[in-house]
Amino acid sequence: LSDWSSDVCSSDLCAKPFAPRWVAKARADAAMTTPGPRSVVVTGVSRPGQLGDAIARGFAAAGDQVVLVARRADDAVACADAMTAIGHRPLAFGCDLADPEAVRDLATRITAATGRIDAVIHAAGGFASSGPVAASDPAAWNAQLTTNLHTAYAVARGFLPALRERHGSITFIASQAALPGARVAGVSAYAVAKGGVLALMRAIAQEEREHQVRANAVAPGTLDRKSTRLNSSHLGISYA
């Protein structure tokens, strides 16, 4: 990858909950600008086995200081306790990532606690079917945009000042649903939201070039999780 450029890493690793290639990609993005132990913020750690949980464990295993963020502070603390039990020392914070001012305050609190922020991995988000556009529920559409796109914007806006100080990096989780040729019937809201994440990533990469902040995205396939199976059972996705 060229320095300060945007990139999308696509993976079709369907039914592999921990997707080690995605974790390695996120770690590589952070390492290119900050060698050695880093202070890394990972969102989306509310439940064990989530992608954010796997990413956080990967960074911690590499010796980095990991900061866990979930909507509910109790969930972040539970994830931190599980990691502490195996020898890591993460920090935990709760925040509504759809609230831009709350996220900006979160960035200030994390910087005060760690002294710096070298990388942000925004893994928070969610998948749900929105049905055919003609029969779709506007509330379901708005929920997908809030969960996947508005949070990405708020996190970027809130943490970019700290990342500029360290010439750091921000990595988003996109989706193959946002890539050309994807089958998106029935999941248009999710696909649009993730497409917006890619556009946001590219804008940040261009805008932050002068500050030596890098922006990238990982576009995984479908995660084999109970909630995903419930929301995609009618779409013909195979988890075999």
Side-chain angles (χ1 to χ4, degrees):
L1 301 179
S2 300
D3 283 352
W4 331 129
S5 68
S6 62
D7 180 62
V8 181
C9 173
S10 175
S11 171
D12 59 358
L13 296 181
C14 182
K16 290 181 171 55
F18 286 91
R21 283 174 57 191
W22 312 339
V23 177
K25 171 64 177 173
R27 286 173 53 196
D29 288 342
M32 287 187 71
T33 52
T34 310
R38 296 145 295 189
S39 175
V40 182
V41 177
V42 182
T43 70
V45 298
S46 294
R47 294 182 296 277
Q50 280 190 307
L51 184 56
D53 178 41
I55 291 172
R57 289 171 183 259
F59 275 104
D64 297 315
Q65 170 65 71
V66 175
V67 182
L68 307 170
V69 178
R71 181 181 177 89
R72 289 168 25 94
D74 288 350
D75 291 334
V77 169
C79 183
D81 287 345
M83 291 178 63
T84 299
I86 57 175
H88 303 309
R89 299 181 63 183
L91 302 178
F93 291 84
C95 182
D96 178 2
L97 298 179
D99 182 340
E101 295 311 314
V103 175
R104 181 160 282 182
D105 177 68
L106 172 69
T108 299
R109 289 188 287 139
I110 291 176
T111 302
T114 64
R116 70 188 198 278
I117 299 173
D118 296 309
V120 174
I121 315 297
H122 181 54
F127 170 83
S129 170
S130 51
V133 173
S136 60
D137 179 0
W141 254 77
N142 287 332
Q144 283 295 290
L145 292 175
T146 296
T147 299
N148 293 296
L149 180 55
H150 296 172
T151 61
Y153 160 73
V155 166
R157 174 181 178 271
F159 281 93
L160 278 173
L163 292 174
R164 288 174 176 176
E165 294 293 324
R166 298 290 297 174
H167 297 169
S169 67
I170 183 167
T171 303
F172 299 98
I173 305 300
S175 170
Q176 290 198 354
L179 301 182
R183 183 176 184 273
V184 296
V187 293
S188 55
Y190 175 77
V192 167
K194 289 299 189 178
V197 169
L198 291 182
L200 175 67
M201 177 270 291
R202 294 189 177 102
I204 292 169
Q206 295 169 15
E207 294 168 357
E208 297 299 317
R209 181 188 180 95
E210 64 182 279
H211 301 291
Q212 299 184 36
V213 173
R214 298 176 66 253
N216 289 282
V218 179
T222 306
L223 287 172
D224 184 9
R225 301 183 65 249
K226 182 178 179 180
S227 59
T228 306
R229 291 191 179 217
L230 288 173
N231 283 314
S232 61
S233 60
H234 63 293
L235 299 176
I237 297 174
S238 173
Y239 297 92

